[in-house]
Amino acid sequence: EVQLVESGGGLVQPGGSLRLSCAASGFTFSSYTMNWVRQAPGKGLEWVSYISSSSSTIYYADSVKGRFTISRDNAKNSLYLQMNSLRDEDTAVYYCARGFSCSGGGCYHDYWGQGTLVTVSS
Amino acid sequence: DIQMTQSPSSLSASVGDRVTITCRASQGISNYLAWFQQKPGKAPKSLIYAASSLQSGVPSKFSGSGSGTDFTLTISSLQPEDFVTYYCQQYKSYPSTFGQGTRLEIK
C-alpha cells in the first residue's frame, strides 16, 4: 500500500524557516517524480514544487521561487521542502504527492499524503 | 500559465441524481487532465487521469471526458458521501494548475 506521511509543520514567525519532510513507503520511491502541493485555509489547491526521480529536474511555482528548496533522499525514501523567508501568505496545509504520467513539468498526482499545516504568524 | 476554470462553482443536487461538472483550459492541453475529490479536512483523492481513465479503486459511477480545452466530470447515482468538493488539474506543462473547485451540495 502506497503511503506518504508528512511532518515538520508548525507555527513560525514571518521571515522564519521551516523544513517539511515526507516519508514514503509501499512503492519504489526512487522511480517516481514527487511534488509538493499546498492549500491555504478555505482556498483551492496550489502546486508548489516538482522534483524528478533522480533530482536532475526541479521546478518551483513563481510564488515560492528563491525561498523554497525541494530535495529528496532516495536511500531514505524521503522528500523534503526547505522553506525560508516565510510570509503570511505561505500559511497552508502542505501535501506531498506522487507524480504519475508526468509531462513537461506537470504531473498527475495519484497518491497524496495527509498533509502538514504550516502557519506563518507573529 | 494555463488557467483552469470550473463551472459551476457550486451545485445543488439530490441523492440519486446524476451531475456534470465542467472544466475549461485557457489553451489546449490534449488529455492531460485529472479530477480530484476532497472531503472536508482530508487530502484530495484521485478520481480520473488522462481525462477519462479511472484511478484504480474508484467506482465506475465517476466518469470523465473531453480533450483539448473542454472537459467534464460526471457523477451518477449520487450518494451522501459524494456531496463534497471536486477539482480539476491540468498537467500538460509547468506550472501544473488547478481549477477553483466545485462544491456539490445536497438539495
Side-chain angles (χ1 to χ4, degrees), chain A residues 26-49:
Chain A
F27 65 103
T28 304
F29 180 73
S30 60
S31 297
Y32 286 86
T33 293
M34 296 296 296
N35 294 261
W36 288 99
V37 179
R38 69 183 180 183
Q39 186 171 36
K43 302 297 185 182
L45 300 165
E46 178 189 17
W47 168 80
V48 172
S49 187

Side-chain angles (χ1 to χ4, degrees), chain A residues 37 39 43-47 59-62 65 95 100-115, chain B residues 1 32 34-36 38 41-49 55-56 87 89 91-100:
Chain A
V37 179
Q39 186 171 36
K43 302 297 185 182
L45 300 165
E46 178 189 17
W47 168 80
Y59 296 106
Y60 298 100
D62 286 346
K65 201 173 294 182
Y95 298 101
F100 179 82
S101 184
C102 300
S103 165
C107 289
Y108 162 56
H109 310 301
D110 60 348
Y111 288 94
W112 299 61
Q114 86 288 351
Chain B
D1 298 2
Y32 291 92
W35 290 97
F36 300 92
Q38 188 176 34
K42 300 295 186 182
K45 175 188 174 183
S46 314
L47 297 176
I48 286 169
Y49 65 99
Q55 173 71 21
S56 175
Y87 293 93
Q89 177 219 3
Y91 54 100
K92 175 69 168 63
S93 63
Y94 159 87
S96 172
T97 46
F98 293 86
Q100 81 280 13

Side-chain angles (χ1 to χ4, degrees), chain A residues 23 31 44 54 74 80-81 85 87 90 93 95 98 106 113 119 121:
Chain A
S31 297
S54 64
N74 286 344
Y80 306 102
L81 186 68
S85 303
R87 305 167 180 168
D90 295 318
V93 174
Y95 298 101
R98 192 175 81 166
T119 303
S121 175

Side-chain angles (χ1 to χ4, degrees), chain A:
Chain A
E1 179 193 6
V2 172
Q3 283 201 318
L4 299 168
V5 180
E6 301 94 336
S7 61
L11 175 63
V12 60
Q13 293 187 336
S17 298
L18 214 53
R19 189 195 196 206
L20 306 184
S21 299
C22 172
S25 61
F27 65 103
T28 304
F29 180 73
S30 60
S31 297
Y32 286 86
T33 293
M34 296 296 296
N35 294 261
W36 288 99
V37 179
R38 69 183 180 183
Q39 186 171 36
K43 302 297 185 182
L45 300 165
E46 178 189 17
W47 168 80
V48 172
S49 187
Y50 160 122
I51 185 168
S52 63
S53 57
S54 64
S55 304
S56 60
T57 302
I58 287 174
Y59 296 106
Y60 298 100
D62 286 346
S63 57
V64 306
K65 201 173 294 182
R67 301 186 299 120
F68 289 12
T69 302
I70 191 171
S71 62
R72 64 191 294 162
D73 185 335
N74 286 344
K76 295 183 177 180
N77 291 338
S78 293
L79 174 72
Y80 306 102
L81 186 68
Q82 177 67 43
M83 304 185 296
N84 298 331
S85 303
L86 283 161
R87 305 167 180 168
D88 290 352
E89 55 265 33
D90 295 318
T91 294
V93 174
Y94 285 73
Y95 298 101
C96 68
R98 192 175 81 166
F100 179 82
S101 184
C102 300
S103 165
C107 289
Y108 162 56
H109 310 301
D110 60 348
Y111 288 94
W112 299 61
Q114 86 288 351
T116 187
L117 176 62
V118 172
T119 303
V120 184
S121 175
S122 52

Side-chain angles (χ1 to χ4, degrees), chain B residues 6 21-23 33-36 45-48 72-73 87-88:
Chain B
Q6 285 181 237
I21 299 168
T22 296
C23 183
L33 192 284
W35 290 97
F36 300 92
K45 175 188 174 183
S46 314
L47 297 176
I48 286 169
T72 60
L73 171 70
Y87 293 93
C88 63

Side-chain angles (χ1 to χ4, degrees), chain B residues 51-95:
Chain B
S52 60
S53 296
L54 207 59
Q55 173 71 21
S56 175
V58 173
S60 59
K61 61 186 292 181
F62 295 94
S63 62
S65 66
S67 183
T69 60
D70 295 312
F71 303 86
T72 60
L73 171 70
T74 298
I75 312 169
S76 61
S77 187
L78 284 170
Q79 297 303 303
E81 61 269 22
D82 299 327
F83 290 88
V84 292
T85 301
Y86 296 86
Y87 293 93
C88 63
Q89 177 219 3
Q90 70 80 18
Y91 54 100
K92 175 69 168 63
S93 63
Y94 159 87

